[in-house]
Amino acid sequence: MARGGRGRAVSWTALGLVVLAVPVVAVAVSSEPPRASAPVVRAGLDDPVKKEIAMRLVSSAENSSLDWRAQYAYIEDIGDGRGYTAGIIGFCSGTGDLLKVVRAYTDARPGNGLARYLPALRQVVGSASHEGLDPGFPRAWRAAAKDPAFRRAQDEERDRDYFGPAVRRAKADGVGVLGQFAYYDAAVVHGVRGLRAIREKAVRGAEPPARGGDEVRYLHAFLDARVAAMRQEKAHRDTSRVDTAQRVFLERGNLALDTPLDWKVYGDRYHLD
């Protein structure tokens, strides 16, 4: 930075003139534009506290329990045409994500009790078949749930194929935590491809906030599209996970999904402090 200085008197006697130097102060002028104040960053659904809330909300709908960690061992065929449904968000043998969990677990723990079912799991993708899985696979799944490596495999599959893509898409659309949860829950039930279809229908009726739309109006349009999608699937025609949970939070203006939370799923009441 240049510093200011004081000039010295100069005598021009030959001209009969005396010129006194005027003190000059140099002022430094920055060429940089003024800095804007840092934006306030709101917590997203990937904040650990918010993610815990999300997992409990999903578990209330998927397992009628807030104890989502107890669901690593869960497995049954719910008759939806997707074979076995299992684990913390309902991985399915018929859709292939259950296969991904067992494959990742086997990479981490070769020779585990589920590894021998990998060929059968590959064969049943795209069907409701249990061929090669009965009667031992459910028992082996429940036993594996005691292993931290198996629980980690479930967590990573959830985040890679469901939670991560849903939250990124929701953030790109400019919605807050409640909207991010609505996207995630849709991905859990319908897959990310189904989420995209629901979103595409929603944006035809309302602009998302990232395009200048009103967040509440857009989320109502998204939930309307979600309910319509659920009613097309026999196993998901009960839409209470939207109507008496997500819609309730939205109507109360709780876009940040702040606790306390009260909601109902399948007529059962739940509360989170």
Side-chain angles (χ1 to χ4, degrees):
M1 181 185 293
R3 293 180 181 177
R6 183 181 297 275
R8 291 178 295 175
V10 179
S11 176
W12 286 9
T13 56
L15 297 175
L17 295 172
V18 176
V19 179
L20 298 177
V22 179
V24 177
V25 178
V27 179
V29 179
S30 173
S31 61
E32 297 181 1
R35 293 181 181 179
S37 58
V40 177
V41 178
R42 295 185 298 173
L45 197 67
D46 44 8
D47 173 87
V49 173
K50 298 296 185 180
K51 189 173 184 179
E52 177 69 20
I53 291 171
M55 290 303 297
R56 293 188 182 193
L57 287 169
V58 168
S59 187
S60 72
E62 293 287 316
N63 305 101
S64 299
S65 168
L66 297 182
D67 186 4
W68 68 269
R69 289 179 177 83
Q71 311 313 318
Y72 288 109
Y74 162 75
I75 182 167
E76 67 175 319
D77 189 327
I78 63 174
D80 62 353
R82 298 173 182 173
Y84 278 119
T85 295
I88 54 174
I89 61 169
F91 306 111
C92 296
S93 58
T95 60
D97 52 359
L98 191 151
L99 167 63
K100 290 181 181 180
V101 170
V102 176
R103 192 162 54 205
Y105 177 43
T106 301
D107 288 342
R109 194 84 79 214
N112 69 79
L114 292 171
R116 67 189 184 94
Y117 293 100
L118 281 169
L121 287 170
R122 284 190 284 267
Q123 290 297 316
V124 299
V125 172
S127 75
S129 174
H130 292 187
E131 187 174 354
L133 298 175
D134 289 340
F137 182 73
R139 183 170 57 253
W141 179 277
R142 287 188 286 267
K146 300 174 184 177
D147 186 347
F150 182 60
R151 298 194 294 270
R152 187 164 53 252
Q154 291 194 40
D155 291 344
E156 290 173 353
E157 172 59 17
R158 172 201 62 200
D159 291 347
R160 181 175 52 249
D161 283 357
Y162 297 93
F163 188 86
V167 171
R168 286 193 295 272
R169 178 66 265 179
K171 286 184 175 182
D173 283 336
V175 297
V177 177
L178 175 59
Q180 292 166 34
F181 174 72
Y183 276 45
Y184 170 53
D185 191 63
V188 167
V189 175
H190 309 280
V192 171
R193 183 179 298 178
L195 163 61
R196 293 194 191 107
I198 291 167
R199 178 192 171 275
E200 288 170 4
K201 185 174 181 180
V203 298
R204 289 197 291 268
E207 293 283 1
R211 298 183 188 174
D214 177 77
E215 183 171 5
V216 172
R217 183 168 181 267
Y218 172 71
L219 288 180
H220 274 299
F222 182 87
L223 295 182
D224 288 344
R226 170 74 193 283
V227 166
M230 290 181 72
R231 287 176 176 163
Q232 293 174 12
E233 299 181 20
K234 183 179 179 180
H236 299 115
R237 286 178 184 169
D238 185 317
T239 59
S240 59
R241 68 194 296 157
V242 174
D243 300 331
T244 55
Q246 297 171 49
R247 187 89 70 177
V248 171
F249 305 148
L250 180 57
E251 289 173 347
R252 291 174 180 170
N254 192 355
L255 299 179
L257 205 59
D258 290 330
T259 54
L261 294 171
D262 291 281
W263 73 99
K264 292 191 297 183
V265 183
Y266 312 134
D268 297 328
R269 294 181 180 274
Y270 297 93
H271 173 81
L272 273 182
D273 287 320

